[in-house]
Amino acid sequence: ELIIAKNRDRAVDWVVQETAVYGATRYLRLNTTNASSITSIIWNNTNPTSSVFSIGTYEYINANTEDIIAYCFHSVESYSKVGSYTGNGSADGPFVHCGFKPAWVMVKRTNASGNSWRIFDKSRSPDNAVDKIIHANLSNTETTQDNFDFVSNGLKLRGTSTDVNANGGTYIFLAFAESPFKNTNAR
């Protein structure tokens, strides 16, 4: 559902595929604020399966004799969630169902440029609102802005930043659970 690939031998962009919104016809770059772009040469217009993903002729992730690394993520019940949502631009933003209380979330707007990859976590923001932010694509220090509440089964958007909640904005996210256990019993 989400692939982050990088050429380890050259200083080129990190290439991202997500299937929650666009699938194999578009890509994002983890190190930029660009919106998603249309291409067929990166992912071969082929969505990944549970065991393989396809790469095309794009030199950033398919250069002859160069080392490429790929981080591949998919949703696992009560552990992780790859998904998408549409913002409403309101401080009473949409609810995003994950099926668990998040501990770590990365969000990126896909339909407009100029929006950072934002990372939120419960370690730096142990209470709601989760307001401490680091950026995957910037070398900035941590910033603060109300954006989310981490609730028992997902995210509740509380901020109006276009990076996470523009009216009509399309976003992808990757979330990991605070207590990643399914069907656990106390003793």
Side-chain angles (χ1 to χ4, degrees):
E1 294 172 286
L2 179 72
I3 300 169
I4 302 170
K6 175 73 170 95
N7 183 317
R8 295 178 57 215
D9 291 334
R10 285 195 278 155
V12 295
D13 293 334
W14 292 74
V15 182
V16 179
Q17 178 189 33
E18 55 75 31
T19 60
V21 178
Y22 301 112
T25 61
R26 299 183 78 87
Y27 75 101
L28 293 157
R29 292 180 221 162
L30 185 66
N31 55 301
T32 74
T33 61
N34 295 358
S36 69
S37 300
I38 296 173
T39 185
S40 62
I41 64 169
I42 295 180
W43 309 111
N44 242 4
N45 280 341
T46 305
N47 281 332
T49 69
S50 62
S51 59
V52 298
F53 66 92
S54 179
I55 57 174
T57 58
Y58 193 55
E59 66 177 323
Y60 285 13
I61 61 169
N62 193 11
N64 189 28
T65 72
E66 294 183 0
D67 289 332
I68 312 295
I69 191 165
Y71 301 96
C72 303
F73 301 94
H74 70 95
S75 299
V76 175
E77 186 179 357
S78 299
Y79 179 77
S80 63
K81 177 74 175 173
V82 177
S84 66
Y85 66 89
T86 302
N88 67 5
S90 168
D92 184 18
F95 168 74
V96 180
H97 186 266
C98 294
F100 52 78
K101 183 175 184 179
W104 186 96
V105 176
M106 181 168 66
V107 175
K108 172 69 172 105
R109 185 172 181 186
T110 62
N111 66 333
S113 291
N115 298 278
S116 292
W117 291 82
R118 290 184 168 213
I119 299 172
F120 308 86
D121 64 82
K122 77 171 215 100
S123 296
R124 290 174 304 108
S125 292
D127 301 311
N128 286 328
V130 177
D131 61 356
K132 292 184 175 33
I133 307 159
I134 56 175
H135 302 88
N137 59 298
L138 301 173
S139 60
N140 296 9
T141 59
E142 176 182 273
T143 59
T144 302
Q145 183 178 49
D146 286 351
N147 286 289
F148 293 109
D149 284 345
F150 284 176
V151 297
S152 64
N153 58 350
L155 310 164
K156 174 65 176 167
L157 277 86
R158 298 291 184 197
T160 58
S161 165
T162 59
D163 280 325
V164 296
N165 191 20
N167 188 26
T170 303
Y171 299 86
I172 60 166
F173 70 92
L174 172 63
F176 291 98
E178 177 179 276
S179 297
F181 299 104
K182 182 179 176 186
N183 303 322
T184 58
N185 295 315
R187 292 189 84 169

